[in-house]
């Protein structure tokens, strides 16, 4: 017997000679036996190739570029649970510091009295902002001896998390419909939807569909007028998922935050333009009294008295620690420069798309008006055989994910395409994309599209 034969079981097989290679990975049933981790790791990693390249995903608002320091911090904190505040007191302190920094960035009138928390993302943050709004309204109605069984909420064209909020908590959602000539909630439109049962108005700083900011200040002014006329005071929550980490750096004159007294809460995604890794959101209230006491739970089973008001319990702490690192490491200067570069790239894309003559740019990445994104549609007289679903599908063959989708409500005849410019989408990369866009137009000139793709058949995209 050779030495190899004798020690065969203690030799590591080569990955591609292993028995696992001869069969598919199990899809429905847990295997009975253990396997070599290296082999399974390789096969799982290989499956992930089909996901495409996150950096070429121009649909997402979320971070896809993370510096090595963030990888190091995430690794270091992989087993820290942010909810165990007694066990990880310094992590809890770091979360508090982030809340303080944000309250200052968002112009809290009295930082000591503002309150907030980290969340999994904006969705959880919006749920909390919405719930607080609902409970404040309910308490007020109760005190006045009025009916509180028909709450409604008024919004512009919102992200899906607000549809969830309304359905999960049984609140009537009055979403001011998008019109072909007005792709956001204008104060005039809003006024038709508010009444005494309105728990609050949600405005979005960076609409999902176009990237444009809603006019928070004008909405607040209209609500001031409404209060003068009717005596009804309606609160505002700003969904600043993207804009909350952009406007403080790139639109300093814009009034949208706690500078406006009517704004009672603000939510934002740390993992979007906060530059933190996935799984980080924030919600802040202007004053501790704006977060109803009945939403706060006091628990002591982890040691110490701890107040919690998130929806989730256990959650990884690395995202919060990374957020703190980024706030410190980049400072106002770093965030401003990174975001300005993104706006610059977005504007470059908008002007190049304009030059092609067949597209109409609906939003061009103006830092005073919205987020670093470009949204466009085909011109009515474009005289092309393809639609934007075909166009998106063809771009995908070079790895670019540029979603095409129709706008909501009364603007649903308009099909648009949108590019999100995040940290990591450099002007150089954008110029390569423009070359591919030109090639695609040429391709469709010689390969006429006979049957256009429908929204369903096109690249699936959810907001
Ligand atoms: C992304 C987004 C959300 C949801 O945020 P997540 O962090 O993905 O949970 C909510 N509102 C707006 C405006 C968004 O852009």
């Amino acid at each position: 017997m050779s030495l190899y034969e004798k020690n065969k079981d203690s030799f590591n097989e080569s990955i591609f000679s292993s028995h696992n290679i001869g069969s598919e990975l199990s899809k429905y049933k847990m295997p009975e036996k253990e396997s070599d981790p290296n082999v399974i790791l390789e096969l799982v990693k290989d499956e992930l190739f089909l996901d495409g390249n996150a950096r070429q995903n121009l649909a997402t608002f979320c971070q896809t570029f993370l510096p090595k320091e963030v990888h190091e911090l995430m690794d270091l904190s992989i087993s820290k649970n942010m909810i165990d505040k007694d066990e990880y007191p310094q992590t809890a302190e770091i979360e508090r510091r982030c809340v303080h920094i944000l309250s200052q960035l968002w112009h809290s009138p009295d930082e000591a009295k503002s309150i907030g928390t980290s969340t999994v993302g904006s969705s959880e943050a919006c749920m909390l902002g919405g719930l607080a709004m609902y409970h404040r309204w309910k308490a007020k109605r109760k005190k006045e001896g009025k009916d509180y069984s028909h709450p409604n909420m008024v919004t512009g064209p919102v992200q899906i998390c607000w549809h969830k909020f309304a359905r999960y908590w049984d609140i009537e959602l009055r979403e001011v419909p998008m019109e072909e000539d007005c792709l956001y909630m204008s104060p005039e439109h809003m006024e038709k939807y508010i009444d005494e049962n309105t728990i609050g108005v949600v405005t979005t700083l960076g609409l999902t569909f176009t990237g444009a900011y809603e006019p928070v200040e004008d909405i607040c002014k209209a609500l001031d007028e409404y209060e003068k006329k009717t005596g009804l005071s309606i609160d505002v929550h700003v969904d600043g998922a993207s804009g909350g980490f952009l406007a403080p750096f790139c639109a300093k004159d814009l009034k949208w935050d706690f500078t406006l007294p009517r704004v009672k809460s603000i939510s934002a995604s740390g993992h979007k333009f906060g530059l933190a890794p996935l799984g980080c959101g924030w919600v802040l209230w202007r004053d501790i009294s704006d977060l109803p006491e009945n939403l706060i739970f006091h628990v002591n089973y982890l040691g110490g008295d701890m107040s919690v008001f998130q929806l989730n319990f256990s959650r990884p702490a690395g995202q919060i620690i990374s957020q703190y690192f980024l706030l410190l490491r980049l400072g106002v200067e770093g965030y401003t420069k990174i975001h300005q570069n993104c706006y610059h790239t977005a504007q470059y894309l908008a002007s190049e798309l304009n030059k092609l003559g067949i597209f109409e740019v609906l939003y061009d990445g103006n830092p005073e008006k919205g987020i670093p994104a470009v949204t466009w549609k085909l011109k009515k007289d474009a005289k092309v055989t393809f639609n934007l679903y075909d166009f998106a599908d063809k771009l995908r063959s070079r790895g670019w994910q540029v979603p095409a989708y129709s706008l909501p409500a009364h603007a649903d005849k308009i099909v648009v395409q949108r590019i999100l410019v995040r940290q990591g989408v450099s002007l150089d990369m954008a110029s390569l994309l423009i070359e591919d866009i030109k090639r695609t137009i040429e391709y469709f000139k010689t390969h006429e599209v006979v049957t256009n793709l429908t929204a369903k058949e096109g690249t699936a995209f959810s907001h």
Side-chain angles (χ1 to χ4, degrees), residues 351-382:
S351 89
E352 290 299 309
L353 287 165
N354 261 330
K355 283 185 208 158
L356 298 175
I358 57 170
F359 300 124
E360 181 182 334
V361 171
L362 298 174
Y363 170 69
D364 65 355
N366 177 339
E368 301 293 326
K369 301 232 162 81
I371 70 177
V374 203
T375 311
W376 69 91
K377 62 175 189 173
L378 272 171
K379 274 187 182 165
K380 282 221 170 74
D381 58 354

PDB file of all heavy atoms in Angstrom, residues 351-382:
ATOM      1  N   SER A 351     -26.322  65.188 -19.283  1.00  0.00           N
ATOM      2  CA  SER A 351     -26.021  65.981 -20.473  1.00  0.00           C
ATOM      3  C   SER A 351     -25.674  65.067 -21.651  1.00  0.00           C
ATOM      4  O   SER A 351     -26.046  65.345 -22.788  1.00  0.00           O
ATOM      5  CB  SER A 351     -24.931  67.025 -20.183  1.00  0.00           C
ATOM      6  OG  SER A 351     -23.666  66.477 -20.409  1.00  0.00           O
ATOM      7  N   GLU A 352     -25.009  63.958 -21.401  1.00  0.00           N
ATOM      8  CA  GLU A 352     -24.709  63.016 -22.495  1.00  0.00           C
ATOM      9  C   GLU A 352     -25.996  62.381 -23.044  1.00  0.00           C
ATOM     10  O   GLU A 352     -26.129  62.186 -24.250  1.00  0.00           O
ATOM     11  CB  GLU A 352     -23.754  61.911 -22.009  1.00  0.00           C
ATOM     12  CG  GLU A 352     -22.337  62.374 -21.725  1.00  0.00           C
ATOM     13  CD  GLU A 352     -21.649  62.953 -22.965  1.00  0.00           C
ATOM     14  OE1 GLU A 352     -21.649  62.295 -24.017  1.00  0.00           O
ATOM     15  OE2 GLU A 352     -21.119  64.080 -22.866  1.00  0.00           O
ATOM     16  N   LEU A 353     -26.919  62.062 -22.146  1.00  0.00           N
ATOM     17  CA  LEU A 353     -28.182  61.465 -22.594  1.00  0.00           C
ATOM     18  C   LEU A 353     -28.979  62.460 -23.433  1.00  0.00           C
ATOM     19  O   LEU A 353     -29.579  62.107 -24.450  1.00  0.00           O
ATOM     20  CB  LEU A 353     -29.008  60.999 -21.384  1.00  0.00           C
ATOM     21  CG  LEU A 353     -28.488  59.742 -20.684  1.00  0.00           C
ATOM     22  CD1 LEU A 353     -29.136  59.571 -19.316  1.00  0.00           C
ATOM     23  CD2 LEU A 353     -28.754  58.495 -21.531  1.00  0.00           C
ATOM     24  N   ASN A 354     -28.953  63.733 -23.007  1.00  0.00           N
ATOM     25  CA  ASN A 354     -29.619  64.787 -23.767  1.00  0.00           C
ATOM     26  C   ASN A 354     -29.097  64.874 -25.186  1.00  0.00           C
ATOM     27  O   ASN A 354     -29.858  65.040 -26.140  1.00  0.00           O
ATOM     28  CB  ASN A 354     -29.396  66.139 -23.083  1.00  0.00           C
ATOM     29  CG  ASN A 354     -30.600  66.532 -22.246  1.00  0.00           C
ATOM     30  OD1 ASN A 354     -31.726  66.163 -22.578  1.00  0.00           O
ATOM     31  ND2 ASN A 354     -30.357  67.253 -21.156  1.00  0.00           N
ATOM     32  N   LYS A 355     -27.776  64.750 -25.302  1.00  0.00           N
ATOM     33  CA  LYS A 355     -27.144  64.893 -26.622  1.00  0.00           C
ATOM     34  C   LYS A 355     -27.594  63.820 -27.603  1.00  0.00           C
ATOM     35  O   LYS A 355     -27.503  64.011 -28.804  1.00  0.00           O
ATOM     36  CB  LYS A 355     -25.617  64.806 -26.472  1.00  0.00           C
ATOM     37  CG  LYS A 355     -24.971  66.068 -25.944  1.00  0.00           C
ATOM     38  CD  LYS A 355     -23.466  65.885 -25.969  1.00  0.00           C
ATOM     39  CE  LYS A 355     -22.802  66.726 -24.881  1.00  0.00           C
ATOM     40  NZ  LYS A 355     -21.482  66.217 -24.536  1.00  0.00           N
ATOM     41  N   LEU A 356     -28.050  62.686 -27.093  1.00  0.00           N
ATOM     42  CA  LEU A 356     -28.424  61.591 -27.985  1.00  0.00           C
ATOM     43  C   LEU A 356     -29.715  61.893 -28.754  1.00  0.00           C
ATOM     44  O   LEU A 356     -30.043  61.209 -29.721  1.00  0.00           O
ATOM     45  CB  LEU A 356     -28.557  60.284 -27.188  1.00  0.00           C
ATOM     46  CG  LEU A 356     -27.257  59.833 -26.510  1.00  0.00           C
ATOM     47  CD1 LEU A 356     -27.499  58.613 -25.646  1.00  0.00           C
ATOM     48  CD2 LEU A 356     -26.185  59.528 -27.551  1.00  0.00           C
ATOM     49  N   GLY A 357     -30.459  62.890 -28.293  1.00  0.00           N
ATOM     50  CA  GLY A 357     -31.609  63.380 -29.064  1.00  0.00           C
ATOM     51  C   GLY A 357     -32.901  62.590 -28.925  1.00  0.00           C
ATOM     52  O   GLY A 357     -33.956  63.062 -29.321  1.00  0.00           O
ATOM     53  N   ILE A 358     -32.835  61.385 -28.379  1.00  0.00           N
ATOM     54  CA  ILE A 358     -34.073  60.590 -28.309  1.00  0.00           C
ATOM     55  C   ILE A 358     -34.661  60.521 -26.900  1.00  0.00           C
ATOM     56  O   ILE A 358     -35.757  60.033 -26.702  1.00  0.00           O
ATOM     57  CB  ILE A 358     -33.858  59.152 -28.839  1.00  0.00           C
ATOM     58  CG1 ILE A 358     -32.733  58.449 -28.060  1.00  0.00           C
ATOM     59  CG2 ILE A 358     -33.551  59.147 -30.334  1.00  0.00           C
ATOM     60  CD1 ILE A 358     -32.630  56.959 -28.363  1.00  0.00           C
ATOM     61  N   PHE A 359     -33.898  61.010 -25.924  1.00  0.00           N
ATOM     62  CA  PHE A 359     -34.369  60.932 -24.536  1.00  0.00           C
ATOM     63  C   PHE A 359     -34.746  62.310 -23.987  1.00  0.00           C
ATOM     64  O   PHE A 359     -34.124  63.314 -24.350  1.00  0.00           O
ATOM     65  CB  PHE A 359     -33.279  60.339 -23.628  1.00  0.00           C
ATOM     66  CG  PHE A 359     -32.845  58.959 -24.003  1.00  0.00           C
ATOM     67  CD1 PHE A 359     -31.508  58.672 -24.269  1.00  0.00           C
ATOM     68  CD2 PHE A 359     -33.773  57.915 -24.094  1.00  0.00           C
ATOM     69  CE1 PHE A 359     -31.097  57.386 -24.607  1.00  0.00           C
ATOM     70  CE2 PHE A 359     -33.367  56.624 -24.431  1.00  0.00           C
ATOM     71  CZ  PHE A 359     -32.029  56.368 -24.698  1.00  0.00           C
ATOM     72  N   GLU A 360     -35.737  62.312 -23.110  1.00  0.00           N
ATOM     73  CA  GLU A 360     -36.052  63.553 -22.395  1.00  0.00           C
ATOM     74  C   GLU A 360     -35.697  63.322 -20.923  1.00  0.00           C
ATOM     75  O   GLU A 360     -36.241  62.412 -20.277  1.00  0.00           O
ATOM     76  CB  GLU A 360     -37.540  63.869 -22.528  1.00  0.00           C
ATOM     77  CG  GLU A 360     -37.933  65.157 -21.828  1.00  0.00           C
ATOM     78  CD  GLU A 360     -39.421  65.441 -21.925  1.00  0.00           C
ATOM     79  OE1 GLU A 360     -40.082  64.966 -22.895  1.00  0.00           O
ATOM     80  OE2 GLU A 360     -39.931  66.105 -21.015  1.00  0.00           O
ATOM     81  N   VAL A 361     -34.768  64.121 -20.412  1.00  0.00           N
ATOM     82  CA  VAL A 361     -34.339  63.956 -19.028  1.00  0.00           C
ATOM     83  C   VAL A 361     -35.376  64.599 -18.097  1.00  0.00           C
ATOM     84  O   VAL A 361     -35.717  65.777 -18.251  1.00  0.00           O
ATOM     85  CB  VAL A 361     -32.936  64.574 -18.816  1.00  0.00           C
ATOM     86  CG1 VAL A 361     -32.569  64.595 -17.342  1.00  0.00           C
ATOM     87  CG2 VAL A 361     -31.890  63.780 -19.605  1.00  0.00           C
ATOM     88  N   LEU A 362     -35.899  63.811 -17.157  1.00  0.00           N
ATOM     89  CA  LEU A 362     -36.931  64.329 -16.242  1.00  0.00           C
ATOM     90  C   LEU A 362     -36.310  64.875 -14.967  1.00  0.00           C
ATOM     91  O   LEU A 362     -36.859  65.734 -14.301  1.00  0.00           O
ATOM     92  CB  LEU A 362     -37.905  63.208 -15.864  1.00  0.00           C
ATOM     93  CG  LEU A 362     -38.695  62.588 -17.016  1.00  0.00           C
ATOM     94  CD1 LEU A 362     -39.505  61.400 -16.510  1.00  0.00           C
ATOM     95  CD2 LEU A 362     -39.617  63.615 -17.656  1.00  0.00           C
ATOM     96  N   TYR A 363     -35.188  64.323 -14.585  1.00  0.00           N
ATOM     97  CA  TYR A 363     -34.475  64.827 -13.418  1.00  0.00           C
ATOM     98  C   TYR A 363     -32.983  64.666 -13.702  1.00  0.00           C
ATOM     99  O   TYR A 363     -32.530  63.596 -14.110  1.00  0.00           O
ATOM    100  CB  TYR A 363     -34.887  64.069 -12.142  1.00  0.00           C
ATOM    101  CG  TYR A 363     -33.979  64.418 -11.000  1.00  0.00           C
ATOM    102  CD1 TYR A 363     -34.015  65.705 -10.449  1.00  0.00           C
ATOM    103  CD2 TYR A 363     -33.019  63.521 -10.530  1.00  0.00           C
ATOM    104  CE1 TYR A 363     -33.114  66.065  -9.468  1.00  0.00           C
ATOM    105  CE2 TYR A 363     -32.127  63.882  -9.547  1.00  0.00           C
ATOM    106  CZ  TYR A 363     -32.183  65.155  -9.020  1.00  0.00           C
ATOM    107  OH  TYR A 363     -31.273  65.521  -8.061  1.00  0.00           O
ATOM    108  N   ASP A 364     -32.206  65.741 -13.481  1.00  0.00           N
ATOM    109  CA  ASP A 364     -30.829  65.741 -13.990  1.00  0.00           C
ATOM    110  C   ASP A 364     -29.744  65.796 -12.920  1.00  0.00           C
ATOM    111  O   ASP A 364     -28.598  66.117 -13.210  1.00  0.00           O
ATOM    112  CB  ASP A 364     -30.652  66.918 -14.959  1.00  0.00           C
ATOM    113  CG  ASP A 364     -30.787  68.260 -14.252  1.00  0.00           C
ATOM    114  OD1 ASP A 364     -31.104  68.280 -13.032  1.00  0.00           O
ATOM    115  OD2 ASP A 364     -30.570  69.300 -14.893  1.00  0.00           O
ATOM    116  N   GLY A 365     -30.112  65.466 -11.655  1.00  0.00           N
ATOM    117  CA  GLY A 365     -29.072  65.390 -10.630  1.00  0.00           C
ATOM    118  C   GLY A 365     -28.617  66.751 -10.129  1.00  0.00           C
ATOM    119  O   GLY A 365     -27.437  66.946  -9.830  1.00  0.00           O
ATOM    120  N   ASN A 366     -29.568  67.674  -9.984  1.00  0.00           N
ATOM    121  CA  ASN A 366     -29.265  69.000  -9.438  1.00  0.00           C
ATOM    122  C   ASN A 366     -29.265  68.926  -7.904  1.00  0.00           C
ATOM    123  O   ASN A 366     -30.273  68.559  -7.299  1.00  0.00           O
ATOM    124  CB  ASN A 366     -30.347  69.967  -9.943  1.00  0.00           C
ATOM    125  CG  ASN A 366     -30.177  71.367  -9.394  1.00  0.00           C
ATOM    126  OD1 ASN A 366     -29.535  71.572  -8.368  1.00  0.00           O
ATOM    127  ND2 ASN A 366     -30.772  72.328 -10.070  1.00  0.00           N
ATOM    128  N   PRO A 367     -28.138  69.262  -7.236  1.00  0.00           N
ATOM    129  CA  PRO A 367     -28.052  69.062  -5.776  1.00  0.00           C
ATOM    130  C   PRO A 367     -29.072  69.874  -4.962  1.00  0.00           C
ATOM    131  O   PRO A 367     -29.371  69.506  -3.824  1.00  0.00           O
ATOM    132  CB  PRO A 367     -26.624  69.494  -5.430  1.00  0.00           C
ATOM    133  CG  PRO A 367     -26.041  70.089  -6.658  1.00  0.00           C
ATOM    134  CD  PRO A 367     -26.896  69.723  -7.826  1.00  0.00           C
ATOM    135  N   GLU A 368     -29.613  70.942  -5.529  1.00  0.00           N
ATOM    136  CA  GLU A 368     -30.639  71.710  -4.806  1.00  0.00           C
ATOM    137  C   GLU A 368     -32.012  71.046  -4.940  1.00  0.00           C
ATOM    138  O   GLU A 368     -32.929  71.335  -4.194  1.00  0.00           O
ATOM    139  CB  GLU A 368     -30.754  73.137  -5.375  1.00  0.00           C
ATOM    140  CG  GLU A 368     -29.462  73.941  -5.321  1.00  0.00           C
ATOM    141  CD  GLU A 368     -29.052  74.257  -3.890  1.00  0.00           C
ATOM    142  OE1 GLU A 368     -29.953  74.457  -3.047  1.00  0.00           O
ATOM    143  OE2 GLU A 368     -27.833  74.271  -3.619  1.00  0.00           O
ATOM    144  N   LYS A 369     -32.145  70.208  -5.942  1.00  0.00           N
ATOM    145  CA  LYS A 369     -33.475  69.673  -6.282  1.00  0.00           C
ATOM    146  C   LYS A 369     -33.657  68.193  -5.969  1.00  0.00           C
ATOM    147  O   LYS A 369     -34.770  67.678  -6.021  1.00  0.00           O
ATOM    148  CB  LYS A 369     -33.726  69.872  -7.789  1.00  0.00           C
ATOM    149  CG  LYS A 369     -33.664  71.329  -8.235  1.00  0.00           C
ATOM    150  CD  LYS A 369     -34.921  71.665  -9.025  1.00  0.00           C
ATOM    151  CE  LYS A 369     -35.162  73.151  -9.143  1.00  0.00           C
ATOM    152  NZ  LYS A 369     -34.359  73.756 -10.184  1.00  0.00           N
ATOM    153  N   GLY A 370     -32.554  67.492  -5.685  1.00  0.00           N
ATOM    154  CA  GLY A 370     -32.722  66.062  -5.428  1.00  0.00           C
ATOM    155  C   GLY A 370     -31.403  65.352  -5.233  1.00  0.00           C
ATOM    156  O   GLY A 370     -30.376  65.968  -4.931  1.00  0.00           O
ATOM    157  N   ILE A 371     -31.447  64.040  -5.420  1.00  0.00           N
ATOM    158  CA  ILE A 371     -30.294  63.196  -5.120  1.00  0.00           C
ATOM    159  C   ILE A 371     -29.435  63.002  -6.380  1.00  0.00           C
ATOM    160  O   ILE A 371     -29.883  63.341  -7.471  1.00  0.00           O
ATOM    161  CB  ILE A 371     -30.767  61.845  -4.549  1.00  0.00           C
ATOM    162  CG1 ILE A 371     -31.444  60.996  -5.626  1.00  0.00           C
ATOM    163  CG2 ILE A 371     -31.774  62.069  -3.423  1.00  0.00           C
ATOM    164  CD1 ILE A 371     -31.868  59.627  -5.140  1.00  0.00           C
ATOM    165  N   PRO A 372     -28.226  62.455  -6.254  1.00  0.00           N
ATOM    166  CA  PRO A 372     -27.413  62.238  -7.458  1.00  0.00           C
ATOM    167  C   PRO A 372     -27.968  61.081  -8.290  1.00  0.00           C
ATOM    168  O   PRO A 372     -27.591  59.940  -8.095  1.00  0.00           O
ATOM    169  CB  PRO A 372     -26.017  61.890  -6.918  1.00  0.00           C
ATOM    170  CG  PRO A 372     -26.089  62.016  -5.444  1.00  0.00           C
ATOM    171  CD  PRO A 372     -27.511  62.031  -5.041  1.00  0.00           C
ATOM    172  N   ALA A 373     -28.884  61.400  -9.154  1.00  0.00           N
ATOM    173  CA  ALA A 373     -29.532  60.395  -9.992  1.00  0.00           C
ATOM    174  C   ALA A 373     -29.926  61.061 -11.305  1.00  0.00           C
ATOM    175  O   ALA A 373     -29.952  62.295 -11.393  1.00  0.00           O
ATOM    176  CB  ALA A 373     -30.770  59.842  -9.294  1.00  0.00           C
ATOM    177  N   VAL A 374     -30.213  60.279 -12.297  1.00  0.00           N
ATOM    178  CA  VAL A 374     -30.747  60.787 -13.565  1.00  0.00           C
ATOM    179  C   VAL A 374     -31.954  59.942 -13.910  1.00  0.00           C
ATOM    180  O   VAL A 374     -31.893  58.710 -13.813  1.00  0.00           O
ATOM    181  CB  VAL A 374     -29.776  60.599 -14.754  1.00  0.00           C
ATOM    182  CG1 VAL A 374     -30.081  61.588 -15.856  1.00  0.00           C
ATOM    183  CG2 VAL A 374     -28.352  60.652 -14.315  1.00  0.00           C
ATOM    184  N   THR A 375     -33.033  60.592 -14.307  1.00  0.00           N
ATOM    185  CA  THR A 375     -34.232  59.873 -14.719  1.00  0.00           C
ATOM    186  C   THR A 375     -34.651  60.401 -16.074  1.00  0.00           C
ATOM    187  O   THR A 375     -34.669  61.617 -16.278  1.00  0.00           O
ATOM    188  CB  THR A 375     -35.374  60.076 -13.695  1.00  0.00           C
ATOM    189  OG1 THR A 375     -34.849  59.822 -12.390  1.00  0.00           O
ATOM    190  CG2 THR A 375     -36.514  59.128 -13.951  1.00  0.00           C
ATOM    191  N   TRP A 376     -34.961  59.511 -16.986  1.00  0.00           N
ATOM    192  CA  TRP A 376     -35.340  59.961 -18.326  1.00  0.00           C
ATOM    193  C   TRP A 376     -36.415  59.085 -18.927  1.00  0.00           C
ATOM    194  O   TRP A 376     -36.690  57.990 -18.437  1.00  0.00           O
ATOM    195  CB  TRP A 376     -34.110  60.003 -19.238  1.00  0.00           C
ATOM    196  CG  TRP A 376     -33.530  58.666 -19.591  1.00  0.00           C
ATOM    197  CD1 TRP A 376     -33.848  57.898 -20.672  1.00  0.00           C
ATOM    198  CD2 TRP A 376     -32.535  57.922 -18.863  1.00  0.00           C
ATOM    199  NE1 TRP A 376     -33.103  56.740 -20.664  1.00  0.00           N
ATOM    200  CE2 TRP A 376     -32.290  56.725 -19.572  1.00  0.00           C
ATOM    201  CE3 TRP A 376     -31.821  58.164 -17.681  1.00  0.00           C
ATOM    202  CZ2 TRP A 376     -31.378  55.762 -19.136  1.00  0.00           C
ATOM    203  CZ3 TRP A 376     -30.914  57.199 -17.257  1.00  0.00           C
ATOM    204  CH2 TRP A 376     -30.702  56.027 -17.979  1.00  0.00           C
ATOM    205  N   LYS A 377     -37.030  59.611 -19.982  1.00  0.00           N
ATOM    206  CA  LYS A 377     -37.992  58.802 -20.744  1.00  0.00           C
ATOM    207  C   LYS A 377     -37.679  58.975 -22.218  1.00  0.00           C
ATOM    208  O   LYS A 377     -36.866  59.846 -22.585  1.00  0.00           O
ATOM    209  CB  LYS A 377     -39.420  59.246 -20.435  1.00  0.00           C
ATOM    210  CG  LYS A 377     -39.721  60.689 -20.813  1.00  0.00           C
ATOM    211  CD  LYS A 377     -41.183  61.018 -20.587  1.00  0.00           C
ATOM    212  CE  LYS A 377     -41.489  62.382 -21.179  1.00  0.00           C
ATOM    213  NZ  LYS A 377     -42.890  62.725 -21.156  1.00  0.00           N
ATOM    214  N   LEU A 378     -38.305  58.171 -23.043  1.00  0.00           N
ATOM    215  CA  LEU A 378     -38.140  58.338 -24.488  1.00  0.00           C
ATOM    216  C   LEU A 378     -38.950  59.546 -24.924  1.00  0.00           C
ATOM    217  O   LEU A 378     -40.077  59.738 -24.461  1.00  0.00           O
ATOM    218  CB  LEU A 378     -38.656  57.097 -25.216  1.00  0.00           C
ATOM    219  CG  LEU A 378     -37.677  55.944 -25.427  1.00  0.00           C
ATOM    220  CD1 LEU A 378     -38.438  54.729 -25.960  1.00  0.00           C
ATOM    221  CD2 LEU A 378     -36.541  56.315 -26.375  1.00  0.00           C
ATOM    222  N   LYS A 379     -38.390  60.351 -25.804  1.00  0.00           N
ATOM    223  CA  LYS A 379     -39.163  61.476 -26.342  1.00  0.00           C
ATOM    224  C   LYS A 379     -40.344  60.932 -27.139  1.00  0.00           C
ATOM    225  O   LYS A 379     -40.235  59.870 -27.759  1.00  0.00           O
ATOM    226  CB  LYS A 379     -38.269  62.295 -27.278  1.00  0.00           C
ATOM    227  CG  LYS A 379     -37.437  63.335 -26.574  1.00  0.00           C
ATOM    228  CD  LYS A 379     -36.740  64.192 -27.608  1.00  0.00           C
ATOM    229  CE  LYS A 379     -35.856  65.223 -26.945  1.00  0.00           C
ATOM    230  NZ  LYS A 379     -34.917  65.821 -27.889  1.00  0.00           N
ATOM    231  N   LYS A 380     -41.427  61.701 -27.158  1.00  0.00           N
ATOM    232  CA  LYS A 380     -42.618  61.242 -27.899  1.00  0.00           C
ATOM    233  C   LYS A 380     -42.295  61.009 -29.378  1.00  0.00           C
ATOM    234  O   LYS A 380     -42.774  60.093 -29.994  1.00  0.00           O
ATOM    235  CB  LYS A 380     -43.731  62.282 -27.765  1.00  0.00           C
ATOM    236  CG  LYS A 380     -44.455  62.223 -26.433  1.00  0.00           C
ATOM    237  CD  LYS A 380     -45.970  62.404 -26.600  1.00  0.00           C
ATOM    238  CE  LYS A 380     -46.721  62.094 -25.317  1.00  0.00           C
ATOM    239  NZ  LYS A 380     -46.562  63.147 -24.292  1.00  0.00           N
ATOM    240  N   ASP A 381     -41.445  61.891 -29.928  1.00  0.00           N
ATOM    241  CA  ASP A 381     -41.132  61.783 -31.367  1.00  0.00           C
ATOM    242  C   ASP A 381     -39.767  61.107 -31.587  1.00  0.00           C
ATOM    243  O   ASP A 381     -39.065  61.410 -32.542  1.00  0.00           O
ATOM    244  CB  ASP A 381     -41.152  63.171 -32.012  1.00  0.00           C
ATOM    245  CG  ASP A 381     -40.154  64.106 -31.335  1.00  0.00           C
ATOM    246  OD1 ASP A 381     -39.554  63.693 -30.312  1.00  0.00           O
ATOM    247  OD2 ASP A 381     -39.951  65.240 -31.821  1.00  0.00           O
ATOM    248  N   ALA A 382     -39.398  60.204 -30.697  1.00  0.00           N
ATOM    249  CA  ALA A 382     -38.053  59.594 -30.765  1.00  0.00           C
ATOM    250  C   ALA A 382     -37.860  58.725 -32.018  1.00  0.00           C
ATOM    251  O   ALA A 382     -36.737  58.528 -32.462  1.00  0.00           O
ATOM    252  CB  ALA A 382     -37.786  58.770 -29.515  1.00  0.00           C
TER     253      ALA A 382
END
